Amino acid sequence: MRTTLTLDDDVADFLRMQSRLLDKSFKQVVNDVLRRGMTVGSQAPDLPTYRVVPNRSRLVPGVDPLRLNQLNDELEAQDFAAESGQ
């Protein structure tokens, strides 16, 4: 792809120098430098591993886990009745 690119003087000087030192075309040096720049930020940073430690919890004896939704509904109905003044 052909495009026009305006470079700062110091960047252009650096690229010309690299072109001479590496005996590569200016175009090749620009493409190599851009490719290196694209891969720097694309790697995920090394972060510590996130670890979840499960907690064993048990229901109080006599609580039926299958009826917890019913209990919640009853408590909400009591709250509504208390707020509405019934």
Side-chain angles (χ1 to χ4, degrees), residues 17-57:
M17 183 178 64
Q18 290 297 309
S19 175
R20 284 192 302 269
L21 290 174
L22 299 173
D23 195 29
K24 291 184 177 181
S25 69
F26 185 77
K27 171 186 166 184
Q28 185 63 48
V29 171
V30 169
N31 283 317
D32 291 347
V33 168
L34 288 173
R35 282 190 185 98
R36 279 195 309 258
M38 289 187 313
T39 59
V40 169
S42 65
Q43 298 174 354
D46 293 333
L47 298 175
T49 305
Y50 185 78
R51 193 168 157 227
V52 176
V53 180
N55 181 21
R56 288 194 82 114
S57 61

Side-chain angles (χ1 to χ4, degrees), residues 5 8-9 14 20-21 23 25 33 54 59 68 71 76:
L5 181 65
D8 291 340
D9 291 336
F14 172 80
R20 284 192 302 269
L21 290 174
D23 195 29
S25 69
V33 168
L59 295 173
L68 289 177
L71 175 61
E76 284 182 358

Side-chain angles (χ1 to χ4, degrees), residues 70-86:
Q70 181 182 359
L71 175 61
N72 188 44
D73 291 342
E74 290 173 6
L75 292 172
E76 284 182 358
Q78 286 176 4
D79 288 344
F80 179 75
E83 288 174 5
S84 64
Q86 294 180 358

